[in-house]
Amino acid sequence: MQIWLTSALSLWAAYWAAIFAELAHLRRREDGVGASACARIAGSLLAIGLSLFLLARI
C-alpha cells in the first residue's frame, strides 16, 4: 500500500474517531443511551488510525 494512501486512511479513521467520541460525550450528558457503544466505536477507530499511521511510517 502506498504511503499517501495509508496516511489518508489513518487521518480518515482519526477524524471519525473524534466524531464518535464527541457523540458518546453528548449521549452521556443527555440520557446515556448508546454512549458506551459510541465510545467503543471511537476507540476502535482510533486504534485503526494509529496502526495505519505507524504502518505508513515503517
Side-chain angles (χ1 to χ4, degrees), residues 5 24 55:
L5 181 60
L55 181 67

Side-chain angles (χ1 to χ4, degrees), residues 4 9-10 12 14 19-22 24-28 35-36 38-39 43-44 46 48 50 53 55-57:
W4 66 269
L9 287 175
S10 67
W12 180 78
I19 295 294
F20 276 100
E22 181 65 26
H25 171 71
L26 293 175
R27 291 248 184 199
R28 188 171 294 127
S36 62
C38 288
S44 299
L46 192 59
I48 290 168
L50 179 63
F53 178 74
L55 181 67
R57 295 295 167 194

